[in-house]
Amino acid sequence: MADLLGEDTIVALATPPGAGAIAMVRVSGPRAVQLVDGAFTGRRSLQELPSHLMAHGWLRGVHGSSAEVTIDEVMVVVHRAPHSYTGEDLVEITCHGSPLIVRQILQLFCARGARLAEPGEFTRRAFLHGRLDLAQAEAVCDLVQARTERARRASMAQLEGQLSQRIAQLQERLVDARALLELDIDFSDEDVPSWDRQLLARTLEEVGGELRALLRTFQQGRFLREGARVVLLGRTNVGKSSLLNALVESDRAIVSELPGTTRDTLEGLVDIGGFPVTVVDTAGFGVAGSEIEKEGLRRTEREVEKADVVILLLDGSEPLQAEDRRLLEVYVPGRGRTVIPAVNKIDLPRAWSPAELGAGRVVELSAKRRLGLEQLREAVVQALIGDGFAGAGDVVLTNARHWEALRQAEEAVRRAGASLAQGLSAEFIVVDLREASEALGRVVGGVSDEDILASIFARFCIGK
Ligand code: GDP
């Protein structure tokens, strides 16, 4: 894998551009210390500075056609290989946060022989130097992008190696089983005690069960990473926009710079039980008359199609209307638990009882008086988690690549189990066990294909 590592020294801004009073520029590669030292003036040279100590000084360089000038007053830390984030010599320069200064520093180091880093290149080097396995490297990206506490915890667990450990345990069991079978193949003429079919069947059952438990966490993991869409559905005047406002105005609205999440687009991004959730208000279902209204209803249908969870809102203070009944008929039975019936305006005298709906769990709330919102959030979390918690402990699969690899491993284990049950010989079973091991290996590493690595690290931001 070493051939994937260039000898280049790379440089990048490691903090968001223009974000604050200070910024950090990172330089990594075999010549990093020498390269920065050539532009640094301080009490002593960086080449003599012990690892992980901070030095104060100035960066000087030629800018444009002028003579050498001081660019900035800086603090510098040298992390010597292999004890650095990348596993190479790494220099971190803390400078003033002006975009102009940062640009001049990047230009200075590029003029001295570094090149600008690609997205994720620091982490990619950490992986290639064996500082992190692939699952951990991918967790760095998720950690940086985590928008809620639950998402942060899931990425941190993966970065700490919890997923990797689970994979390693499963891998060990598969390898042990295979070793016994291979022994049997090699010594089939001799009188070696043969392997125990029942024991192997049990092992395969357990490994398959663990893989399935991990796979089930993926839906939850996807919601943690990409967020979920919750659509408010109901006829006009039941209180959909009031409910959207109530959810967004609580202290759990997620501040986002993404376009389309401002309030006037009729959606809001909120933290519901640790999931980043986009709540979408839809055009009310009235009696469709005009063309504009019909178009609104078509849009609503499309939103419902895209939704992960639908909240079907009803007005508890007025008798149910034909339109409410139609929505209940169409949406509640067909979509299972992803539709949450909710009764609004419980601060007013009730015109009917939720039991009349016969729709299982019904959430009662008042958007105007902010009542019952916590129960509504709980119902949404239940719908998002599904049965994803069963048996997987703290590990949550958040990555589609991992999911695909584990799915292939699970299939191979299942095939091995079927061959075993049919009484096939060891050779057949070994083939599937080897395939399962290879698939598991792809989660934590064992990927040397340049294109795959490039696509993994391209998701990262620059400077990570
Ligand atoms: P939408 O057409 O479904 O978006 O409904 P709105 O949110 O515009 O609400 C319709 C009317 O119901 C407005 O006058 C709201 O003030 C009122 N409303 C909404 N929620 C409640 C509630 O919980 N209690 C009461 N008393 N009125 C509410």
Side-chain angles (χ1 to χ4, degrees):
M1 234 180 247
D3 57 334
L4 291 176
L5 271 166
E7 285 295 285
D8 294 2
T9 299
I10 52 172
V11 59
L13 173 64
T15 43
I22 61 164
M24 180 183 281
V25 171
R26 281 174 148 176
V27 185
S28 183
R31 293 179 48 253
V33 181
Q34 190 191 347
L35 195 144
V36 177
D37 198 34
F40 177 80
T41 314
R43 278 242 307 277
R44 57 178 157 175
S45 113
L46 296 177
Q47 312 210 43
E48 294 162 10
L49 185 71
S51 191
H52 295 83
L53 279 191
M54 193 173 256
H56 167 258
W58 289 266
L59 283 182
R60 292 176 60 79
V62 179
H63 194 71
S65 57
S66 64
E68 205 177 63
V69 291
T70 300
I71 294 174
D72 197 13
E73 182 179 10
V74 294
M75 303 298 287
V76 178
V77 181
V78 172
H79 303 254
R80 284 181 214 283
H83 304 292
S84 72
Y85 181 72
T86 51
E88 315 173 313
D89 278 356
L90 174 76
V91 185
E92 286 179 349
I93 298 127
T94 307
C95 60
H96 289 101
S98 123
L100 181 67
I101 292 176
V102 168
R103 195 166 69 234
Q104 289 184 0
I105 293 177
L106 294 177
Q107 281 168 352
L108 171 69
F109 292 144
C110 286
R112 299 186 57 81
R115 67 165 170 79
L116 292 176
E118 289 160 20
E121 201 170 0
F122 290 86
T123 309
R124 177 188 171 125
R125 289 186 175 204
F127 164 64
L128 293 174
H129 282 292
R131 297 279 299 163
L132 299 170
D133 69 34
L134 204 47
Q136 289 175 307
E138 290 169 300
V140 171
C141 179
D142 294 344
L143 188 62
V144 173
Q145 290 170 4
R147 287 178 290 180
T148 66
E149 174 58 15
R150 193 192 280 261
R152 187 196 65 74
R153 277 208 309 266
S155 321
M156 198 62 220
Q158 191 175 320
L159 178 58
E160 285 175 338
Q162 288 186 24
L163 174 61
S164 310
Q165 282 159 20
R166 289 287 286 275
I167 301 286
Q169 285 159 5
L170 294 171
Q171 193 70 286
E172 203 178 299
R173 301 189 70 181
L174 289 178
V175 170
D176 285 351
R178 209 171 75 211
L180 282 178
L181 292 173
E182 277 170 350
L183 202 67
D184 187 70
I185 297 169
D186 290 347
F187 296 95
S188 56
D189 308 337
E190 297 171 30
D191 204 11
V192 175
S194 69
W195 45 281
D196 181 336
R197 273 187 181 264
Q198 273 184 345
L199 192 66
L200 180 60
R202 201 156 64 228
T203 302
L204 292 182
E205 194 42 54
E206 285 168 12
V207 170
E210 281 218 34
L211 287 170
R212 285 187 289 279
L214 280 171
L215 286 167
R216 277 198 300 273
T217 66
F218 180 62
Q219 165 157 313
Q220 193 194 136
R222 187 172 65 82
F223 290 145
L224 280 180
R225 244 206 21 216
E226 295 165 20
R229 281 181 89 76
V230 171
V231 168
L232 304 181
L233 183 67
R235 71 170 163 79
T236 315
N237 267 335
V238 291
K240 294 180 300 297
S241 30
S242 307
L243 180 57
L244 175 67
N245 282 335
L247 290 170
V248 171
E249 277 164 16
S250 70
D251 54 3
R252 298 174 207 205
I254 297 174
V255 179
S256 168
E257 280 148 28
L258 297 178
T261 51
T262 52
R263 291 261 297 287
D264 57 12
T265 62
L266 303 181
E267 4 182 298
L269 188 60
V270 288
D271 178 341
I272 296 188
F275 292 94
V277 171
T278 303
V279 182
V280 186
D281 187 8
T282 59
F285 272 85
V287 183
S290 68
E291 271 310 306
I292 299 172
E293 209 164 343
K294 277 187 191 148
E295 177 53 28
L297 297 190
R298 271 195 290 274
R299 268 190 221 160
T300 298
E301 289 283 3
R302 281 201 293 274
E303 281 298 343
V304 170
E305 282 304 309
K306 283 194 290 178
D308 298 302
V309 175
V310 174
I311 296 174
L312 175 49
L313 202 60
L314 303 158
D315 183 340
S317 70
E318 282 183 11
L320 285 176
Q321 298 184 9
E323 194 50 37
D324 298 317
R325 293 190 190 281
R326 193 187 73 81
L327 290 173
L328 281 163
E329 250 166 51
V330 173
Y331 291 101
V332 174
R335 294 180 57 108
R337 79 167 145 239
T338 59
V339 176
I340 302 170
V343 180
N344 188 28
K345 309 195 189 179
I346 58 164
D347 54 311
L348 298 177
R350 302 184 187 218
W352 51 279
S353 151
E356 282 176 38
L357 296 180
R361 188 172 171 190
V362 177
V363 178
E364 298 180 52
L365 60 98
S366 164
K368 195 167 173 179
R369 306 255 176 255
R370 310 285 194 259
L371 300 172
L373 296 183
E374 205 45 51
Q375 284 85 326
L376 182 67
R377 290 190 186 104
E378 267 166 33
V380 170
V381 170
Q382 273 309 314
L384 294 179
I385 288 179
D387 57 0
F389 266 152
D394 291 339
V395 178
V396 180
L397 276 193
T398 56
N399 186 305
R401 197 184 68 77
H402 301 167
W403 180 81
E404 181 56 25
L406 291 187
R407 195 186 60 73
Q408 287 170 6
E410 196 272 331
E411 270 181 14
V413 168
R414 203 182 327 190
R415 278 199 305 276
S419 305
L420 186 70
Q422 287 167 26
L424 297 183
S425 64
E427 283 90 340
F428 288 94
I429 304 167
V430 159
V431 173
D432 288 325
L433 291 189
R434 187 173 301 128
E435 201 179 308
S437 282
E438 281 166 8
L440 285 185
R442 284 197 288 278
V443 174
V444 287
V447 176
S448 52
D449 185 315
E450 173 63 14
D451 292 341
I452 296 178
L453 287 181
S455 76
I456 290 172
F457 288 102
R459 290 198 302 123
F460 279 61
C461 43
I462 294 193
K464 251 296 158 199

